Each structure stands twice: as structure tokens, then as C-alpha cells.
Amino acid sequence: MKITTPEFKSNAVDALANENLQKAMGHVQVGFIEKRKLAADGLPEFEALRDNARDIKDHTLAHLDLYLEAYSEKVEESGGHVHWAQTAEDARNIVLDICRNAGAKTVTKGKSMISEEIGINAFLENNGIAPIETDLGEYIIQLRGEAPSHIIAPAVHVLKEQVEEDFRAEHTHLDIDRNLEEPETLLDEARTVLRQKFIDADVGITGANFLVAETGTSVIVTNEGNGDLTQTLPKVHIVLASLEKITPTLEDVSQILRVLARSATGQEQSVYTTFSTGPRRETDVDGPQEYHVVLLDNGRTNMIGTEFQEMLRCIRCGACMNHCPVYHAIGGHAYGWVYPGPMGAVLTPSLEGVEKGGNLPNASTFCGRCESVCPMRIPLPKMMRHWREREFERGLNPVTQRWGLKVWAWFARRPRIYAMGARYAMRAVAMLAGRKGSLTSMPMAGGWTKYRDLPAPEGKTFQQQWQAKGGS
Amino acid sequence: MTPREAILGKIKSQIAADPNDAGRRAAVANRLSNAPRGVIPKRGQLPPAKKKDLFCTKAESVQATVDRVTSYDAAAKAVSQYLRGRNLPQSVRMGQDQRLESIDWAKTPSLSTDTGPSDGGQPVGLSHAAYGVAETGSLIMTSGSENPTTLNFLPESHIVIIHSKDIVGDYETAHANIRKHYGKGRMPRTVNMITGPSRSADIEQKLLLGAHGPRSLHIIVVDD
């Protein structure tokens, strides 16, 4: 997928001016936050489970090579195949080969962020194979030719009126006068249209929430049941998973499951948690005849042993973006790649390079809400700061910003001059503001004063007050 | 170098792993064989009768419906009554589960049954659960000709019979039971943990039942 992260600033300006998007984003701010809180408060062991979930992943990452070996041995033992992909391109070619060997014309897909990361849909289409997204949100954005704007609610930026337009444009075989005003009727229509596609597909592609080393099992967590129809009905099931999805045991999966749904949607448990191990057995009367796992690296091994390793604990619940004021304001598309919000601000520069992704760690107020709700206790603000430091070290940020920081640093290292400067600057601003006590415009702060007045400082500087209180 | 060797080699060098790896290998072998249970919520740690009650309450809280009967034969009648109450056809497709086959379906003549997986043409699927988990009202279904996976997903309505002795407090106990049944490190092809009927909130965050899986989930608990 083409990355537009370098244009983050103009993306964000467009997003702020997009009325439909702003209306749709209102739904995020209300629903997700309250539901998560109720679910977390409803389980007394929730915080202890977060600690244990963090410890399980830390242990796994410290032994990742060994758990991957154990996992792949178990997959082969159960009759499945593991394909190791170092890059997105490798993964695409592996998937295409499997589809061609199966003589596939259509491929149904469960929701998978890895499939977005490697851009499999466009690639399959260019090679004459039709991919069909079956998760309702993914189906909607596939019709719209868009990327997901949220990792668990991909069409969160779309209004129901827009879905109606898309369905009318696509489902031209249906009665033109049908009523599609309500989400209920839209859902029913998608259910009917997709039902036959599930049955006709030659290959089903799903993602994985976990890969279990103990048993060689892949696990998907869904609410609709589309992932299960995708992987049960076709003759070939392909699992797309990045290698940090490895989890040692079924017990470890259970521990993390308890924090996953609660953090994501505020459910105690998602509707369908499905454990898949190998292809159909002799005793089975349904299920796929072939089972393939594509294990993707795509830059993740570079993060191991670095200050960004903790990001590999992420279980893609979306809580960080659900609680992020920047995400609320601009939605997911402005971030310009697959992963938005705070987790995307750390992951995008890690996987795509700080040259392309460096804008994102700056799109944060460091309010800390993301870290406070992250079920895996990932220190997201700290890692965004690491990226800012790297960006500065490599001279990637704009000249004005670097110059401003240098000026500030010169003063900051000279406390006397700094204190004096602050006193004079305060008085000057207060004088400019006059009796009104606020400024409607200010040089070099036009972006800020365009939307609100700048209150003029009153009283004494922080350092003066601190000294008066006897601080040192 | 194969891609597998390249990836594993890269991880080892990033971790700066000791070449002989004895300590790390022991830690991995230990976790895989002992599978520590971790933090278990107290809410499911109850005497059997209360565990059953919690299972029913939790299942109902996620829009499943629950009925309790005192024998497998009574379950047949309960299935028929449920279908009548919902205006659904008196016809169910099920697998070859012995507990389901032991039921004398002929005693409920209005109800017709047949056996096999679903191809999407059956309005009602009937399955027997392997376990139930009280802490969230979840059903654990295992694949095989006894209870084909397609019956869990394709029919519009899903009815699941579960024996009260198979209701456990927490997920970890259910997994330990599966391990005991299938052998260490082995699993059936598919294990479905089902918590309520299918749903989606993908259009404007409005929660709707019946996305792609069953629109309704009815659980019959047999307590004999």
C-alpha cells in the first residue's frame, strides 16, 4: 500500500475540514471509552492480568527464535505448512503460489491487518484472482476503494448514508426501490450477498490473533463469524501472521484473551474465538484440505533487542487510538499507512523507516492516555519520544523547528538569562493583550490563534513562584 | 540460506543469544510442558450448582437464550418447543455425537432430524458442546463428524446442548480438559469458543445481531 505518511500535515488539515469524517468520529469518542471502562472495572483481576499478559509476551520475545521453531514443528506435525516470509513481497508471492496451485478464481478474506500491510488485495487482482473482504467493515471499504481507518473498526469513518450509496452502486442486481435507511437492512443485504461468495470461494485467507507454540494452532477472534466461514468452507486455508503473534501455551492465550476483548470493544469475550490446527482430519466431515501459515517478518526482527522491542507486545486491540485525542480529531487515514493512532506512530517508523514515518511520533500531545489503557502496558509515549530523538539526530525535521529548539536550548542552559527572558517575555505578552487578557493573533503561532485566543500570562513566572515556595 | 534460517538467525543475533542456548532452551521446554495457569478470575471458582448458574447468566447477558432440562430425552421436546416459539421450521441438522444419537427423537414426532455437516441449506443446526465456561458464558465446540464445524456457523439458528457436568469455571480448565482428552500438544482441527450469537457494530458503531453467523443461539443445559 502506498504510504502518504510524509504528507501527514496536509492529510490532517484535510481531515479536520471533512464534515462526514468529523461526524463519524463522534461515534468513536462516545462508545469505545465507556465500554472499555465498564468491562475493565467489572473484572477485579484486570490489572493483574495486564501485568501477566505483559510478562508472557516479554518472555516470548526473549525466546522468540525457540518458540518459532517449536511452533513450526507442531504445524508440520499436524499436516500444515509454514512459509517464512522476510518481506511483504515474499509473502505476496507465497500467497499467490498457493492460490495458483489451488486453481483459485476467488478468495474470501477474514479481517487481517497483515493482509493490509503486504497489500495482498491489489496484488491478487493484478494476477487475475478476485479477493473478497467478508468482514462487514472491510467489505464496505473494499467497495469504496479505501484503506481501513481503524485496526478493529475499519469503516469507522463511514456514515450509514455513504454505505447505502456504496451498496446501491455495487448491488445493481437488487430491487432499486428497496429500503436501505437503517444499519439493520444494510447488514442483511451484506449477509445475503456474501453468503454465496463464502460457498463459492476456492481459498480462504484469515489473519491470526495468536499462534500457539505448544500445539501449532492459529487463533482468530471475531464477532461476525465471517472469519470462520472464510476458513471452514474453501478447500485451502491460508493464515497470514506476523511472527510476534507467537504465544507459548493455550493457558497463555487465555490470559491475554481476557484483556483483549475488554480493551478493544468492552466485551468480556468476543463472540467467536477459534483455534485451528492443521487441515481437515480423517474424522472430519468439513474444514479445509490444506492449511498454510505465512509467517511475516517485514522489519520486526530489527526491533528485537532495541528500545522498540516492547512494541512487539501489541495485540492490536485498538484501545490506544480509541483513547487518543489526535486520532479522535483526524481519524485513521491521515496517518497515511496501515496502522494509525499511537501504536501506528511507533510501528510505522519502525517498519517503514523514520524518513517516511517520522511525522507520526510528533502527532501526539503526550497526554499518556494510550499507555494508561494499553492492555500490554506498552510505553507508547516513551517510544514516540525515542523516534523524535532519532529524527532530530538524523536532521530530518524542518529547519525552523531545529532552529527554534537550538534557540530554546541556548537559553535553557543559561538559567539566569532564561529566567530574565521569561520575565520580560511575559510582561510583553501581557501588555500586547491589554485589558482583554488574551490575544487573537500572535507571530509564529498563527496555527494556534486561528482557532482560539491565546490567554495572556498573569502574575509571576513558574520559577519565581517556585522560589517563593522555597523550592530549589 | 533459507528464509527460515535467515529469520531465526537474525532473531538470535538481535537477542545476542548464547550459542549453546542451554538456559533459554530449558526455559522454553519448561513453559511448554508445564503451561502455568497464570491469574484465574475468582468469579468462576464456584461449587458446581453456582457455576452452572453463572454460566447461564453470562450466556444470557450476551443475548444467548438458555433452557434447563433434567434429561436428554427432555431436550428433544425443548428443541421442538423452542422452534415453535420462534416460528422456525421443525427440522434440525446435527452431527453423530453419541449423546445426541442416544436421544429418542421419535418421541417428538413433529420434529424431523437429519445428520451431516451444513451446506447452508439448513435453517437450524444442533450441536453438543464439549465444555461450557462459566466466567463468560462461553461454549467450547470441538470439530469432527460428531459435531461438524459448519453447523456452528451456516444455519440461521444454532441450538447447543451441553451437560451440566461439562461446565467449568475458567478457560484454563477447559484447555486442560481438551489436553487430557486429545493428548499433550494435540488439538482437534477446530475448537470454537462461542459467546453469544453473531454480531457486528461496523456501521456507525450500532450493535446488530446476526452478521454472518447464526442470528440466534439457544443453549439447553441437561442436568440429570
Side-chain angles (χ1 to χ4, degrees):
Chain A
M1 151 175 188
K2 187 181 173 293
I3 180 164
T4 68
T5 309
E7 291 88 55
F8 174 75
K9 278 184 192 163
S10 62
N11 291 350
V13 170
D14 293 347
L16 287 169
N18 181 334
E19 275 177 38
N20 281 344
L21 174 69
Q22 291 302 323
K23 197 171 161 200
M25 292 311 291
H27 299 296
V28 178
Q29 294 177 46
V30 190
F32 282 121
I33 293 177
E34 198 179 326
K35 286 185 206 144
R36 178 208 166 268
K37 183 159 175 16
L38 281 174
D41 292 350
L43 185 68
E45 295 86 357
F46 188 73
E47 295 304 318
L49 281 159
R50 283 175 74 185
D51 288 339
N52 197 35
R54 173 199 58 205
D55 295 347
I56 288 167
K57 275 288 178 188
D58 281 347
H59 165 83
T60 311
L61 291 169
H63 302 83
L64 186 61
D65 49 332
L66 302 176
Y67 280 119
L68 280 167
E69 285 173 10
Y71 166 75
S72 68
E73 200 174 300
K74 277 288 174 187
V75 175
E76 305 283 341
E77 203 180 290
S78 66
H81 304 281
V82 179
H83 308 264
W84 302 69
Q86 289 176 272
T87 64
E89 190 190 353
D90 293 348
R92 285 193 294 266
N93 288 323
I94 292 165
V95 172
L96 181 62
D97 274 352
I98 298 169
C99 290
R100 281 195 173 144
N101 285 338
K105 290 192 183 67
T106 63
V107 172
T108 41
K109 292 184 64 210
K111 190 170 153 28
S112 152
M113 291 311 294
I114 297 299
S115 99
E116 301 287 342
E117 184 179 325
I118 67 172
I120 194 68
N121 286 5
F123 184 74
L124 288 177
E125 267 170 49
N126 291 340
N127 285 282
I129 296 168
I132 300 152
E133 294 289 353
T134 63
D135 172 85
L136 179 60
E138 289 281 347
Y139 180 64
I140 291 168
I141 60 165
Q142 188 182 28
L143 294 184
R144 299 172 65 78
E146 291 179 334
S149 71
H150 188 290
I151 60 172
I152 66 158
V156 76
H157 61 286
V158 185
L159 297 172
K160 66 175 195 271
E161 292 78 16
Q162 296 172 296
V163 179
E164 177 178 352
E165 275 173 40
D166 298 329
F167 279 17
R168 288 193 189 281
E170 178 72 16
H171 307 154
T172 47
H173 61 292
L174 297 174
D175 180 9
I176 214 164
D177 295 322
R178 68 195 188 280
N179 185 329
L180 285 179
E181 274 174 22
E182 290 308 315
E184 286 85 346
T185 45
L186 292 165
L187 174 67
D188 269 353
E189 181 160 314
R191 180 184 170 108
T192 311
V193 169
L194 286 169
R195 188 45 76 101
Q196 196 56 41
K197 312 258 187 203
F198 281 122
I199 292 169
D200 293 341
D202 307 294
V203 173
I205 299 179
T206 68
N209 292 80
F210 306 94
L211 303 173
V212 191
E214 178 192 1
T215 51
T217 300
S218 57
V219 183
I220 57 170
V221 178
T222 73
N223 278 318
E224 297 185 4
N226 66 305
D228 289 280
L229 292 174
T230 297
Q231 65 167 50
T232 307
L233 300 179
K235 55 183 188 266
V236 179
H237 176 197
I238 303 176
V239 179
L240 290 178
S242 50
L243 38 81
E244 85 281 10
K245 294 287 169 209
I246 290 278
T247 313
T249 65
L250 294 165
E251 278 74 359
D252 293 330
V253 171
S254 303
Q255 294 284 299
I256 302 175
L257 278 174
R258 287 199 186 90
V259 295
L260 173 57
R262 286 180 174 90
S263 301
T265 54
Q267 290 168 282
E268 293 204 324
Q269 188 57 265
S270 300
V271 178
Y272 301 114
T273 301
T274 295
F275 299 75
S276 306
T277 313
R280 177 194 289 218
R281 314 274 168 85
E282 264 177 37
T283 49
D284 281 319
V285 290
D286 49 23
Q289 282 141 27
E290 287 177 39
Y291 175 78
H292 299 268
V293 181
V294 182
L295 261 182
L296 179 71
D297 178 352
N298 206 28
R300 287 167 176 79
T301 49
N302 292 330
M303 298 162 72
I304 293 172
T306 73
E307 66 263 56
F308 300 107
Q309 173 170 316
E310 288 177 284
M311 189 61 219
L312 296 174
R313 288 205 299 263
C314 177
I315 54 173
R316 307 290 190 265
C317 70
C320 60
M321 58 198 76
N322 292 342
H323 290 76
C324 175
V326 176
Y327 179 87
H328 289 166
I330 60 174
H333 286 158
Y335 289 80
W337 196 51
V338 180
Y339 303 104
M343 57 79 68
V346 174
L347 203 57
T348 306
S350 301
L351 300 182
E352 289 289 296
V354 69
E355 296 80 3
K356 287 185 193 162
N359 272 325
L360 301 188
N362 291 293
S364 165
T365 61
F366 282 176
C367 70
R369 274 168 100 184
C370 50
E371 183 174 355
S372 74
V373 296
C374 175
M376 306 305 286
R377 300 203 189 281
I378 300 171
L380 289 156
K382 187 181 89 181
M383 286 192 278
M384 283 187 257
R385 204 172 56 240
H386 286 322
W387 275 123
R388 290 187 187 186
E389 287 157 9
R390 293 226 180 156
E391 189 192 25
F392 189 83
E393 280 163 15
R394 296 172 65 171
L396 293 171
N397 34 6
V399 179
T400 45
Q401 199 186 93
R402 299 180 70 79
W403 183 81
L405 279 170
K406 274 186 189 155
V407 171
W408 179 82
W410 189 89
F411 279 101
R413 279 193 295 251
R414 292 163 179 82
R416 251 169 224 271
I417 303 178
Y418 187 99
M420 193 173 69
R423 279 203 304 277
Y424 285 129
M426 252 181 73
R427 269 186 233 160
V429 175
M431 233 151 68
L432 279 173
R435 223 179 296 164
K436 198 173 147 216
S438 60
L439 290 157
T440 48
S441 71
M442 168 121 181
M444 297 201 294
W448 206 90
T449 52
K450 189 173 165 192
Y451 298 100
R452 49 230 188 277
D453 290 350
L454 179 73
E458 289 172 7
K460 301 191 164 178
T461 67
F462 170 76
Q463 282 170 328
Q464 285 171 320
Q465 293 182 48
W466 186 245
Q467 251 173 0
K469 284 192 176 177
S472 57
Chain B
M1 199 173 8
T2 65
R4 175 192 157 108
E5 287 163 355
I7 289 172
L8 292 175
K10 179 78 191 291
I11 297 171
K12 282 184 205 295
S13 80
Q14 295 283 111
I15 292 177
D18 180 341
N20 93 34
D21 263 352
R24 292 169 72 243
R25 281 185 189 281
V28 167
N30 183 39
R31 191 166 195 104
L32 289 178
S33 66
N34 294 335
R37 277 165 61 86
V39 179
I40 308 295
K42 285 209 181 69
R43 73 152 76 137
Q45 312 308 302
L46 299 165
K50 291 213 163 152
K51 216 180 279 182
K52 189 178 64 187
D53 290 344
L54 179 64
F55 171 79
C56 296
T57 313
K58 282 291 173 187
E60 281 168 342
S61 75
V62 289
Q63 291 81 35
T65 48
V66 182
D67 194 0
R68 300 184 187 203
V69 297
T70 51
S71 71
Y72 274 104
D73 278 336
K77 206 168 160 198
V79 169
S80 175
Q81 272 169 356
Y82 170 75
L83 295 175
R84 194 168 307 122
R86 292 266 174 151
N87 265 332
L88 291 164
Q90 292 280 324
S91 152
V92 296
R93 168 70 59 94
M94 60 183 168
Q96 297 166 325
D97 189 289
Q98 280 184 355
R99 293 161 292 191
L100 297 178
E101 287 187 333
S102 76
I103 296 173
D104 190 355
W105 295 97
K107 279 191 188 160
T108 315
S110 56
L111 184 65
S112 74
T113 62
D114 63 357
T115 309
S118 174
D119 59 8
Q122 299 73 33
V124 185
L126 175 70
S127 314
H128 200 292
Y131 304 102
V133 185
E135 68 169 298
T136 48
S138 306
L139 295 160
I140 308 267
M141 318 294 295
T142 51
S143 64
S145 57
E146 296 88 349
N147 291 288
T149 303
T150 41
L151 289 179
N152 300 341
F153 295 99
L154 280 169
E156 294 255 319
S157 302
H158 193 204
I159 303 175
V160 179
I161 298 180
I162 181 170
H163 196 283
S164 62
K165 72 173 166 37
D166 297 325
I167 295 173
V168 299
D170 50 80
Y171 311 136
E172 285 79 355
T173 303
H175 283 304
N177 288 348
I178 290 173
R179 192 178 283 129
K180 223 180 287 167
H181 192 268
Y182 289 86
K184 171 74 183 164
R186 289 175 202 284
M187 290 276 273
R189 149 67 198 168
T190 309
V191 175
N192 295 118
M193 193 157 104
I194 300 178
T195 313
S198 160
R199 66 199 61 199
S200 175
D202 270 348
I203 300 175
E204 296 194 352
Q205 308 304 294
K206 183 173 179 189
L207 183 68
L208 303 172
L209 295 186
H212 291 293
R215 294 173 194 274
S216 60
L217 172 66
H218 185 61
I219 303 170
I220 299 173
V221 181
V222 178
D223 201 352
D224 54 6

